[in-house]
Amino acid sequence: MNNLKITIADVAREAGVSAMTVSRALRDPDKVSAKTLTKIREVVDRLGYVPDPAASALAAGKTNVIGVIVPSVTNNVFSDVMRGIYEAAEASKWQIQLGNSRYSPLEEESLVRTFLSQRPAGLVLSGLDQSEDTARLLEQADCRIVQIMECGPAPYDMMVGFSHVEASAAATRHLLAAGYRRPGYIAARLDPRSQRRLAGFRGEAEKAGVFDAGRIVTTPRPSTVTLGCELVADLLSKAPETDAILCNNDDLALGALFECQRRGIRVPDQMGICGFNDLEMMAAANPPITSVRTFRLAMGRDAFRMLTGALAGIEPEQPVVDLGYEVVARGSTARNGQG
């Protein structure tokens, strides 16, 4: 039998059951007896039947798809979040479909429209800063939604993340406690999360009376280790008195370390360096680099569990879950024994 023409009726006839029973077995196997389920699966495998997701969605009102929209699939931060989602989804009935917005609000809007047209069971998306049109789509969406990576007061539905402002402020306080008095800041990409980290640094530095706008260097370019070297070179040409650098991610922090070593600047005695996210390379560097640890795997797992729990009728105790952060002090800021 040509599997391109096989229908659910063909499977039902071969298995000796109704088409409704086949549909129920494929959509919700727990509602079918083990004997019948085994028979149906054997026929499905033998005939090579592939369910039509569009038809299933039309019949059920929803697919078993959970759409996930992230701004990057190459950034290790989002790779870790996705790993958490896939680990939680393993062996479940839910299928993950991934969309990459590439940090573009217009692309994010297009992906949201595409996903919603396919009647997903739920959506997971990053951040708080959707365009007006995207926000309108999400507010009217007929599915459950979890925002990740940040915490805020007004989620579309549910949210799991942390405060980038508070995390960056805590990193700044760590640099000040280690004895640095002329801190600088470097940032790439300048997406909204990067801007909030800069706001956290600025607020804490101003409070301590050590803020200097001349010690801030930013670029809209994508972050790389090489770019970290370039930004530190720019910073030191503008403000050679700088004695500490808070970097808005770990790629830049590693580049900052390399540039300081190239220039013979001793870390941590002459320069303190702190990254953000605490990727594996921070502990492997020499000296190891202080960084703000964010709980990305847990974020992915919690987002999936919140979403699927809500789909099962189990609402979260709180719609916004703050996972917090941790400033992991290492040798790159151990000027006064703080590392």
Side-chain angles (χ1 to χ4, degrees), residues 26-27 49-65 95 97 117-120:
L26 297 175
R27 187 175 65 247
Y49 172 67
V50 178
D52 180 350
S56 299
L58 188 60
K62 290 284 187 300
T63 65
N64 67 339
V65 168
Q95 297 294 317
Q97 287 189 4
S117 72
Q118 296 170 354
R119 300 191 179 188

Side-chain angles (χ1 to χ4, degrees), residues 170-244:
T172 306
R173 288 194 298 272
H174 168 77
L175 292 174
L176 298 175
Y180 300 103
R181 288 295 175 268
R182 296 179 297 278
Y185 186 92
I186 61 173
R189 183 70 74 177
L190 291 185
D191 62 285
R193 283 175 290 281
S194 294
Q195 294 176 31
R196 282 189 264 280
R197 293 173 194 176
L198 175 55
F201 167 80
R202 178 170 188 152
E204 204 63 32
E206 286 179 341
K207 190 186 303 182
V210 297
F211 178 75
D212 184 339
R215 292 198 292 266
I216 294 177
V217 177
T218 65
T219 176
R221 292 162 57 192
S223 178
T224 64
V225 174
T226 301
L227 182 60
C229 297
E230 295 175 14
L231 294 180
V232 169
D234 289 347
L235 172 61
L236 294 178
S237 69
K238 291 172 51 182
E241 77 282 1
T242 303
D243 66 357

Side-chain angles (χ1 to χ4, degrees), residues 1-11 22-23 26-27 40-56 95:
M1 191 178 290
N2 186 341
N3 63 7
L4 292 178
K5 298 180 180 179
I6 291 170
T7 67
I8 198 168
D10 297 323
V11 175
V22 175
S23 177
L26 297 175
R27 187 175 65 247
I40 291 171
R41 283 177 172 170
E42 184 276 325
V43 173
V44 166
D45 291 342
R46 176 161 52 83
L47 298 184
Y49 172 67
V50 178
D52 180 350
S56 299
Q95 297 294 317

Side-chain angles (χ1 to χ4, degrees), residues 27-44:
R27 187 175 65 247
D28 200 348
D30 292 341
K31 294 184 177 180
V32 178
S33 71
K35 182 179 178 181
T36 301
L37 184 60
T38 298
K39 184 190 301 183
I40 291 171
R41 283 177 172 170
E42 184 276 325
V43 173
V44 166

Side-chain angles (χ1 to χ4, degrees), residues 3 17 24 26 63 84 116 147 289 298 330:
N3 63 7
V17 298
R24 187 179 298 114
L26 297 175
T63 65
L116 292 180
Q147 292 161 266
I289 301 174
R330 298 191 178 97

